[in-house]
Amino acid sequence: MAPLTSEFLNFIVFRYLFESGFTHAAFNFGYEAGLNTSTINGHLVPPGGLVQLVQKGIQYLELETNFSNDDTDMDEDFKLLEPMDLITKSVDELRKIIKEKKEKAQKKKLRGKGKANADHKREPTRRTEMEKQHKEKELEHDSERSDVMVLEGHTSEVFACAWSPEGSLLASGSGDATARIWTIGDGPFNSTIPNVLVLNHLDSQATEENKDVTSLDWNREGTLLATGSYDGQVRIWKRSGELASTLNKHKGPIMSLKWNKKGNYLLSGSIDTTAVVWNVKSGESKQQFGFHSGQLLDVAWRNNDSFATSSADSMIYVCKVGENKPVKKFSGHQNEINAINWDPLGSLLASCSDDTTVKIWSMKQDVCLHDFREHSKEIYTIKWSPTGAGTSNPNQQLLLASASFDTTVKLWDVHQGRLLHSFNSHREPIYSIAFSPNGEYLASGSLDKCMNIWSVKEAKLVRTYNGDGGIFEVCWNKKGNKVAACFANKKVCVFDLRL
């Protein structure tokens, strides 16, 4: 390519000024630039030449940066960079910006923006014999083929999974507009083929677009499964796969869905900025709460009639059924709050945010009790250990775990307000963590396609399972001998642990 000479650049700047009506400025600029002696044929320069040159330069830089960015997949359109970034930053800096923005975009996609591709019947049905053929993938490290069951049938990313309280049923929710209930036997994996129920979220007039199953939760008895969808509807299913009720109140996708312990109320949070408490018995909304100014990203019950909500507006509200105003509000985060979680006693609330902090709140004060700042990137999820007062493991220390886009999992001693351990084995953002029922182990799932099992007491990695897709969620069964993980490659894997 021929170099861009200062003479040509001066000429197209002169033409830009002249064409824009800045006649006096154009004359002065042309005189000082000596364009009266220029050999450039002005008839060959098209109108708007400067604008076209800048636009094409920006497009070239953005194309180069996207094509050269090996860390993430190419986007379908180029809207990740601002023009000023392209003009002022180096290509390496631009690649870093794109990587970070793609990681955030993946997080948004995880919240229910996947597309569905499958064609399903209206009523829940059992899979055909072809669907029942599941294959066990060879996994690396210290796992064996008999340790892993691969559940296939979803036709899009699997965003959520949850074991029933009694432990033999595993639910999964996908971008293919279905949830599935898998029956996992106690016998060796290579001797059983799991039955599965397909819970279709399409009616006869609907298309699969915007029917992603974004969240799901079992009631305490394991008799009912609630699912939240990108279509804004909450559905309640019997464990037999029968649709018990469809709840309509939200005007946007459901981001979080939780049963209270008693099982009489179901709580949902939506992009429409509201939370709704549903009376499960009547199938009607008990109360709608609209205090937030941004998308609701998580909800968490404190007890059977009070709960907390977190939002993209950086606020947390504690609400109570029957009250028309929040009973408490917490402010202090500087960016959207991705997750909130009450400790087992309901006295402390943990929150994590894109502002890279974990905060601990008490109902006894307005400012946060602790402000943990050891993470360097967005923190997507937090979990309390099932230990300490109010749990089945009362003699063990209560801990909080957090997982971040900085590829680390951190364990916190909340009572002393300090970091205990940092687990650093993952190579990509971590979307999910889960404690084993006895609190001795912690599972983590990452976009690096690995699920890691950590010993909490010894603070070390004890097992790694390598898959062929990013992991969006991990969960333990009641006995603590199986961990399920849902993948971006449309599969659900169940790992039989012998720790």
Side-chain angles (χ1 to χ4, degrees), residues 324-337:
N324 294 322
K325 295 181 179 180
V327 297
K328 193 78 172 178
K329 64 179 180 180
F330 297 124
S331 62
H333 280 295
Q334 302 302 310
N335 209 325
E336 60 185 54
I337 303 170

Side-chain angles (χ1 to χ4, degrees), residues 331-349:
S331 62
H333 280 295
Q334 302 302 310
N335 209 325
E336 60 185 54
I337 303 170
N338 295 314
I340 50 177
N341 213 325
W342 291 97
D343 75 346
L345 291 178
S347 58
L348 298 176
L349 180 68

Side-chain angles (χ1 to χ4, degrees), residues 19-35:
E19 292 166 358
S20 300
F22 305 115
T23 307
H24 185 69
F27 175 80
N28 288 337
F29 179 81
Y31 178 78
E32 293 183 4
L35 294 181

Side-chain angles (χ1 to χ4, degrees), residues 188-487:
F189 281 164
N190 57 7
S191 66
T192 60
I193 297 178
N195 291 324
V196 63
L197 298 169
V198 180
L199 314 181
N200 294 301
H201 288 60
L202 299 176
D203 56 41
S204 59
Q205 304 298 321
T207 62
E208 291 166 358
E209 186 176 2
N210 292 336
K211 292 288 184 177
D212 310 48
V213 178
T214 59
S215 52
L216 43 81
D217 193 35
W218 292 94
N219 68 350
R220 193 173 188 179
E221 293 75 25
T223 56
L224 297 173
L225 175 70
T227 61
S229 173
Y230 204 71
D231 64 6
Q233 295 184 337
V234 175
R235 296 170 175 85
I236 300 177
W237 311 81
K238 297 180 181 179
R239 58 180 294 164
S240 62
E242 179 185 352
L243 179 62
S245 57
T246 301
L247 311 178
N248 291 287
K249 190 74 172 180
H250 286 294
K251 299 184 184 303
I254 307 297
M255 293 292 99
S256 184
L257 192 63
K258 305 285 175 61
W259 292 90
N260 66 351
K261 289 184 178 180
K262 190 175 180 180
N264 60 326
Y265 291 148
L266 184 64
L267 174 64
S268 59
S270 169
I271 280 180
D272 69 8
T273 75
T274 73
V276 174
V277 173
W278 305 91
N279 185 320
V280 177
K281 186 176 181 180
S282 67
E284 301 292 335
S285 64
K286 174 73 175 179
Q287 191 172 354
Q288 188 167 22
F289 299 82
F291 308 125
H292 286 285
S293 60
Q295 302 173 359
L296 255 71
L297 302 180
D298 202 12
V299 295
W301 287 102
R302 184 186 183 205
N303 49 42
N304 282 319
D305 60 1
S306 66
F307 58 91
T309 60
S310 69
S311 168
D313 65 8
S314 307
M315 292 294 297
I316 298 171
Y317 291 110
V318 182
C319 307
K320 186 174 182 179
V321 177
E323 299 288 338
N324 294 322
K325 295 181 179 180
V327 297
K328 193 78 172 178
K329 64 179 180 180
F330 297 124
S331 62
H333 280 295
Q334 302 302 310
N335 209 325
E336 60 185 54
I337 303 170
N338 295 314
I340 50 177
N341 213 325
W342 291 97
D343 75 346
L345 291 178
S347 58
L348 298 176
L349 180 68
S351 61
C352 65
S353 168
D354 276 1
D355 66 10
T356 76
T357 71
V358 174
K359 300 184 191 299
I360 309 297
W361 311 88
S362 170
M363 291 293 289
K364 298 179 181 179
Q365 62 185 55
D366 294 330
V367 297
C368 64
L369 190 64
H370 299 297
D371 188 6
F372 298 132
R373 295 180 173 269
E374 279 77 358
H375 282 294
S376 61
K377 287 189 177 181
E378 300 97 320
I379 307 167
Y380 192 71
T381 188
I382 46 176
K383 292 290 172 61
W384 293 95
S385 62
T387 54
T391 73
S392 56
N393 308 293
N395 297 323
Q396 298 180 45
Q397 180 185 14
L398 175 66
L399 301 173
L400 180 72
S402 58
S404 169
F405 281 16
D406 66 11
T407 76
T408 71
V409 176
K410 298 187 187 297
L411 285 180
W412 309 90
D413 181 340
V414 173
H415 292 305
Q416 296 188 23
R418 66 186 182 96
L419 176 67
L420 282 180
H421 305 294
S422 184
F423 300 147
N424 305 300
S425 180
H426 285 295
R427 304 179 304 279
E428 294 290 341
I430 303 168
Y431 277 112
S432 181
I433 47 177
F435 281 97
S436 62
N438 60 11
E440 296 181 4
Y441 299 97
L442 181 70
S444 59
S446 166
L447 288 188
D448 65 7
K449 306 177 183 180
C450 292
M451 185 185 75
N452 289 334
I453 306 294
W454 311 85
S455 168
V456 173
K457 183 178 180 180
E458 299 177 2
K460 71 176 185 179
L461 182 65
V462 296
R463 188 157 307 176
T464 294
Y465 295 94
N466 292 337
D468 55 0
I471 300 174
F472 288 149
E473 190 161 16
V474 295
C475 59
W476 296 77
N477 69 344
K478 182 180 180 180
K479 292 182 179 179
N481 62 351
K482 292 182 176 65
V483 179
C486 53
F487 287 79

